[in-house]
Amino acid sequence: APIISINSLSKTYSNGFTALDNVSFDIEEGEILALLGPNGAGKTTLISIICGITNPSGGQVTVSGHDVVTEFRKTRGEIGLVPQELTTDMFETVFNTVSFSRGLHGKKPDPAYIDQVLKDLSLFEKRDNTLRELSGGMKRRVLIAKALSHQPRILFLDEPTAGVDVALRKDMWQLVERLRKTGVTIILTTHYIEEAQGIADRVGIINRGKLLLVEEKNALMRKL
Ligand code: ADP
Ligand code: ADP
């Protein structure tokens, strides 16, 4: 069974604007899916609904078979969301920041797991540094570590490379590739086609609230 199932999903905001229009597709466990589309296409709205932050106007999303609206308590623990901006106490250490995030998700402390996440993200040597001592790239890694702190099976990255330089962008791509080996299902949004083609197994193209296609990367390249 797919890990995420999206069925006839629509979202019309209270101002009357329709940000998602009858979107349906499945996401398989362990895959990397890129949602490609211009600004305003509806990518963040889609992610917000799957994460249970925004209510759909119509249709349904299930995560591991559970409805994201009515069974939010069950689905929230399955998901980690990497936002674009770091909103954390800059005077706290890397380890404490990530460990605290785990606590916020209602999980018991597990320093060994947190250390493993830091190692997976090449953050371990910065474990006891405060966030303000880190480079921009390292701070982005902390965002990912926080999202992984409660051992989610699904990781969302909202425009992981927006506004970063070329070197850091390549760095992020390698990081996503490495995370794949931990078995986590990864969904990222982007408006760079080369990013979607570079790291994803499948690419979904969204424009004006509609899902235009979802294709295996190789099939997509033949079409473009
Ligand atoms: P809902 O339809 O889920 O009730 P609302 O339309 O009430 O959502 O808006 C939720 C929040 O998003 C409000 O705080 C609103 O100010 C903000 N918002 C409104 N328009 C936009 C927009 N174009 N882009 C992003 N946020 C917006
Ligand atoms: P993307 O992530 O692809 O840039 P979004 O999902 O953020 O797209 O936004 C899709 C459209 O919905 C945009 O036109 C945006 O202005 C609008 N929108 C987002 N949030 C709200 C809101 N709360 N109220 C009204 N319109 C919104």
Side-chain angles (χ1 to χ4, degrees), residues 11-20 35-48 54 84 158-159 189-191 206 208-209:
K11 174 65 181 182
T12 300
Y13 284 106
S14 50
N15 67 355
F17 184 85
T18 296
L20 286 178
L35 293 170
L36 178 67
N39 274 328
K43 303 181 297 295
T44 302
T45 300
L46 176 58
I47 287 185
S48 302
T54 299
Q84 289 186 33
D158 196 5
E159 308 216 356
T189 66
T190 182
H191 41 250
I206 300 188
R208 296 175 184 231

Side-chain angles (χ1 to χ4, degrees), residues 4-206:
I4 301 174
S5 188
I6 300 160
N7 296 296
S8 308
L9 189 66
S10 295
K11 174 65 181 182
T12 300
Y13 284 106
S14 50
N15 67 355
F17 184 85
T18 296
L20 286 178
D21 185 5
N22 199 24
V23 170
S24 300
F25 68 106
D26 289 340
I27 298 169
E28 303 300 327
E29 177 141 35
E31 77 169 319
I32 301 181
L33 176 84
L35 293 170
L36 178 67
N39 274 328
K43 303 181 297 295
T44 302
T45 300
L46 176 58
I47 287 185
S48 302
I49 293 172
I50 301 171
C51 293
I53 298 164
T54 299
N55 280 330
S57 312
Q60 195 197 31
V61 177
T62 60
V63 170
S64 301
H66 299 291
D67 187 286
V68 296
V69 178
T70 61
E71 297 175 278
F72 177 64
R73 281 154 192 268
K74 283 188 175 147
T75 61
R76 64 170 289 202
E78 304 265 42
I79 294 172
L81 173 61
V82 183
Q84 289 186 33
E85 300 289 328
L86 191 73
T87 52
T88 315
D89 181 359
M90 290 292 153
F91 293 93
E92 199 48 87
T93 66
V94 169
F95 178 86
N96 287 346
T97 299
V98 178
S99 196
F100 183 70
S101 176
R102 180 180 172 92
L104 288 181
H105 284 91
K107 288 255 184 168
K108 292 201 183 90
D110 188 343
Y113 172 74
I114 302 295
D115 280 343
Q116 185 57 51
V117 168
L118 298 183
K119 281 174 189 159
D120 289 343
L121 294 167
S122 302
L123 267 176
F124 189 69
E125 58 269 42
K126 303 288 181 193
R127 185 184 188 276
D128 301 313
N129 286 87
T130 61
L131 298 193
R132 61 192 290 274
E133 296 170 321
L134 302 184
S135 67
M138 286 291 168
K139 285 190 186 115
R140 287 205 174 229
R141 287 167 189 247
V142 172
L143 284 178
I144 300 175
K146 283 177 70 185
L148 291 170
S149 66
H150 60 292
Q151 286 157 288
R153 294 165 68 204
I154 303 163
L155 186 67
F156 286 95
L157 297 137
D158 196 5
E159 308 216 356
T161 59
V164 310
D165 62 33
V166 177
L168 186 50
R169 193 176 303 166
K170 287 198 173 133
D171 201 42
M172 291 296 289
W173 293 358
Q174 282 175 4
L175 217 54
V176 170
E177 195 55 52
R178 214 168 341 136
L179 287 174
R180 168 210 292 280
K181 297 190 180 92
T182 68
V184 69
T185 303
I186 299 173
I187 296 108
L188 61 101
T189 66
T190 182
H191 41 250
Y192 300 114
I193 189 154
E194 68 273 22
E195 179 161 295
Q197 288 181 333
I199 39 185
D201 302 312
R202 281 197 306 159
V203 179
I205 299 184
I206 300 188

